[in-house]
Structure formats: structure tokens, C-alpha cells
Amino acid sequence: MTLPTVASEAPRLAVPPKPRRPRAALLGWVAAGLVVGAHLMAWSATEISLGNLVAGWQGMARFLAEAIPPDLSPQVLADSVAGALVTLWIGLLGTTLSIPASLALALLAARATTPAPGIYQAARGLLSFLRAVPDVVFALIFVTAVGLGPFPGVLALVCHNVGVMGKLWAETLEDADPAPAQALRSAGAGRLQVASHALLPSVTPQLIGLLLYRFDVNVRSSLVLGLVGAGGIGFLINQSIQLFQFDQMLTHILVVLVLIVVVDRVSAIVRRRLGSSA
Amino acid sequence: MLALTDIAVRYGDRDVLHGIDVTVAAGELLAVLGANGSGKSTLLRAAAGLAPTTAGTVTVDGRTRRNLDIALIFQQIHLVRRRSVLDNVCAGALGRLPLRRSLVPALFPRAVREEAMACLDRVGLAHRAHDRAGTLSGGQQQRVAIARALHQRAPVILADEPVSALDPAAAEQVLALLAELAHAENLAVLAVLHQPDLARRYANRLVGLRDGRIVLDGDPGQPVDSLYPSRALQEVP
Ligand SMILES: Nc1ncnc2c1ncn2[C@@H]1O[C@H](COP(=O)(O)OP(=O)(O)OP(=O)(O)O)[C@@H](O)[C@H]1O
Ligand SMILES: [Mg+2]
């Protein structure tokens, strides 16, 4: 058999007309209508006003004029870097101290490892609750309880992060290949043994990847926590705004930028290394 | 000895197995053959207590079957690919270890590791003990699974198509190993196969399944054509 050399000799078949689906079309229009309606409601509820933006323009310009150039005096820079480090440490501890509780709840909240359906539901419920309460709210609660400073920031991050990381880890465990687990179960291994010898080792890279991702997020969150009094550079930014020292505020923001970029790069590099060793 | 007596399995309103009587003696390799869907895997799962039996009993050496008595080997090998070969073999002993000696591999007692090494040596892979399981070839991984089964110290090994994913040379090697272990370690081995030729050469006995019933039982060299739908009779849709 010889292959056709001219394109027009290649076999062809007429494409049949697409079947009409009136129901799908109707649903599409309804969905589009709902989305537009939601935006109209949102527009009026958030009091969006271009007029106010234009009127506020001068204030914004004055603010920028005072902020530039940033105050790079050694004293301010040193404060700023020290604050940024505290922010970093809050993010770090907020992540690592939440590992034990996240792991325990993830194991209880994954179908393959939970001891009973009731416990599964309870663990899922607890995770949802911790996730639903924003870390800033936890921070406000802990600041009232233990006073201003980085410590309430760590507590707040741990609480919220257990909710998020526990959920992510539970999902990862549920997606793990069930076959090795089944093999061990049929050889008489118990639930914890199956988890530690079959399920966890097969998803370790994913779990660590998620941990690094949460570290990244938590460093950024701990900045916001500083704004409500939970220590770190966020606290300095808040202070400089209240004292109208906008040039110092800009210094802090630039230092934050460096911190965020560095954390982001490092965690990306580690995650890539993990991916290639999986 | 593994004995299945009058086993029936039903999924929904379909009887998948009826009146199954099979025994596998210690020291014997029994091959189970049959067309796709004839119930071979279900028979294995019933023997392992993983299928919903509606009738019948499974005994090992005259006593009611316990999970620990039966080691399973699968077509898709089911090792933990990211763990070392040695850790995978050690996992065979989990059923008889307390949690405080088995929660993580570092806690395994020395005796357990050394027994695992001996099992690995038995399948010719002692030199790969510290490699990741996922880096071995399919045939080697299946031999690691056999070592894990040995480490379980079960008197019965059930293997569902243990060589279907392997090339002919590796398939020969794995079946020869299973046959040799059955004889030397006095194990009752039941292996589902799709190759009558391998059954003839390595099995002591052959059981043929058709539509959930045993229609052949005996000499592994007997003709098995009756088990498979003949080409000439196949319906054209
Ligand atoms: N979990 C299940 N639920 C419902 N039906 C099932 C289930 N497992 C098996 N069956 C049915 O039981 C019959 C026998 O299946 P089984 O897997 O035992 O066949 P097999 O002989 O192992 O086939 P193969 O050679 O393809 O592996 C099939 O018709 C299958 O559809
Ligand atoms: Mg099968």
C-alpha cells in the first residue's frame, strides 16, 4: 500500500451536525442572568463610587509624596528587618506547631484511616470550623486573652492552619493509591500501621508540598496579624501609619516585599526538588 | 491446607460463584484457570474473606480462616514504591507486631529485619534491600511481594494473576519461585493464571472455572479448551 502524497487524497468524512440541546442552552442563559444579577447587587452593596475615587485623588497624591523617598536610615531599617524576622518566625512556628494536630485530624478525617463514621464526621466538622474562623479573628481573641505581641499571632496561625492543612492532608490521604493499603490490611496490619506504612509514605511529597505552601501563606498572614497587634512587621506598619510616618511605612513595605519574595522562591525551589524525587 | 467447602458468592442478584469445593494441600501449587469473568478473582477473594459469601466455609489447617493465615499476591504489585525494598518486606510482619515496635520502620526489631533479609535472599533480591521498591523491574517487584508474603509466615499464599503484567522470562521466574516455595516451605499456594502452558509446567494440580462453577479439577496437563468460549461460536454483535 502506498501512502497518499497529496493532502486532498487523504480520506475524509463529513462532520455530522451537532445535536441541539435546548435544555442546556436555557440553563446557560439562566446562569448568565444570575451572574449579571449578582454583580449588580454587589455593585450597589459595596457603594462603589468613581466620584469618591476621583475626589480622594489628591489625598492619595499627598500620601505618596510623603512616603517617597522611603526612610532608609539605619535605625529604621534595623527595626524593619527585626520586625520582618519576627513575622517570619511567627509564620514558621504557626506552620510547624500545627503539624501534630493537623496530622491527627487528617487521619481521623480521611475515609481510609478513620476508625468510625461518627469520628470522621466530627473531625471534618472541627476542621471546617477552624477553617471558617479567619486567622485575624483568632488573633483578636488571643490578643485579648494573652496580650499584645507575637505569641497570640502564633496561636492564631496554629488554630486556623490546623483547619486548612488538616483538610488538605485528609483529601490527599483519600486520594492516595488504596492498593498498597489493602495489601497490608489483608496481611493483618491495623489502621495506624496501614497509615504509617502504606498511605503516608506514598503521599509524603504531596504532604510536604502542602506544608510549604501553607508556610508561604502563613508568613503573609502573620503580616496581617501584626496589624491587629500580634507582633512583627505588620505591627510596625500599623504604628507608622498612625504616626503619619509614611516614609517609614514605605521602608517596612519594601522589606516585606523582599521577605515575601525570598520565602516564595525558597518554597518553590524545595517543592520542585521534592517533585523530581517523587 | 486450605479448604473451601460449598462456597457461594452473590453480588446484587447475580450468583457469581456456586457450590465451590476446593482444597489446596500444603506443599502444593494449584493453578486456577478460566475465562474473563468466570469468577477466579472472586474465588480468591472469598478464600481471603474479602468477598460476600452467602454460603460455605473456609478453613486453614482445619480451623476457621484468620487474616494472618493467608498472604495475598496481586497482578498490580501493590508495593509502597517510595519505601525501601526491605521496609516493604518488613510490612509482611505487621500483623504480629505490637504498635510500639511497628509504628515506623525505625522501630522494627532487629529480628524482624533479619528475617526480612532472609526472605529477600530466598527470592534472590538481598542485594537490593536498600533500594526504593519503585526502582525495581516488574518481575523483581513481584518477587519482593512474594518475600513479603513469606515474611507474613502464612501457611497459605493466594496469587491473583501474579505474572500477567510480566514478560515471559520474568513470568517463568516468578512461577518457578512460587512452585519451589510451595514444595520447600510446605505452603499451600493457589495461583490464578491465564497461561495453560505455565500451569502445565509449574502446577501440581489444575482447577478450571466456568460461569462460577468448577468444571475441571485434576491433572495440570489436561486440555482446557472447554473453559474458554470458542471463536467459532462467538456471537457477532
Ligand atoms: N464487586 C463486585 N460487584 C459486582 N459484581 C462483581 C464484583 N466483583 C466481581 N463481580 C462479577 O463477578 C463475575 C466474576 O468476576 P471475577 O473478577 O471473579 O472474574 P475473573 O475470573 O477474575 O475475571 P478476569 O479474568 O477478567 O480477572 C464478573 O461477572 C464480575 O462482573
Ligand atoms: Mg480476575
Side-chain angles (χ1 to χ4, degrees), chain B residues 9-12 14-17 32-45 50-52 75 160-161 192-194 209 211-212 228:
Chain B
V9 172
R10 157 181 285 259
Y11 279 118
R14 268 194 63 209
D15 289 317
V16 176
L17 291 180
V32 175
L33 273 76
N36 292 137
S38 58
K40 306 179 297 296
S41 297
T42 306
L43 187 152
L44 235 76
R45 295 168 58 77
L50 298 170
Q75 172 184 354
D160 196 357
E161 304 192 24
V192 172
L193 297 175
H194 274 305
L209 274 182
D211 297 332
Y228 302 101

